[in-house]
Amino acid sequence: QVQLVESGGGLVQAGDSRRLSCAASGRTFSRYAMAWFRQAPGKEREFVAAISWSGGSTSYADSGKGRFTISRDNAKNTVYLEMNNLKPADTAIYYCAQSITAEVFTTPSAYAYWGQGTQVTVSS
């Protein structure tokens, strides 16, 4: 049974940094791409960042380019999202997702497994 457990969310001020973590279990972690999505109140879930099985390929939504960095540690079965210069518009529940493939995709349909999410609130 696949489990994805996010951590690291919380209340921060605009301009702060935060690192989210997602610990995975139940599948061979290093075989699959991983991603972060987010959902703000009243909005649809949107892509944030994705990373290939090896970490050699990444993709970012325009909203996070230059501020967010996705990385993974296959030895620890963990994927991270480093967020810098946070803005109130980044307030959302952040979800970790594990792909059905090894390569990067930005659409939710490419991801078979999802975590419960971690809330990030950015105050102005």
Side-chain angles (χ1 to χ4, degrees), residues 80-123:
Y80 305 97
L81 183 69
E82 182 74 36
M83 305 184 292
N84 297 314
N85 190 22
L86 282 162
K87 305 174 182 180
D90 295 318
T91 295
I93 300 174
Y94 284 72
Y95 297 92
C96 170
Q98 188 174 68
S99 180
I100 56 176
T101 77
E103 300 306 324
V104 166
F105 288 90
T106 64
T107 55
S109 60
Y111 296 86
Y113 301 98
W114 296 79
Q116 296 287 351
T118 185
Q119 176 73 48
V120 174
T121 302
V122 185
S123 64

Side-chain angles (χ1 to χ4, degrees), residues 5 17 24 33 64 88 121:
V5 180
S17 297
T121 302

Side-chain angles (χ1 to χ4, degrees), residues 43-68:
K43 295 187 177 181
E44 293 188 354
R45 191 170 297 190
E46 65 175 3
F47 171 75
V48 175
I51 187 167
S52 64
W53 69 278
S54 66
S57 178
T58 58
S59 179
Y60 295 92
D62 288 344
S63 59
K65 283 182 181 176
R67 298 189 300 125
F68 292 0

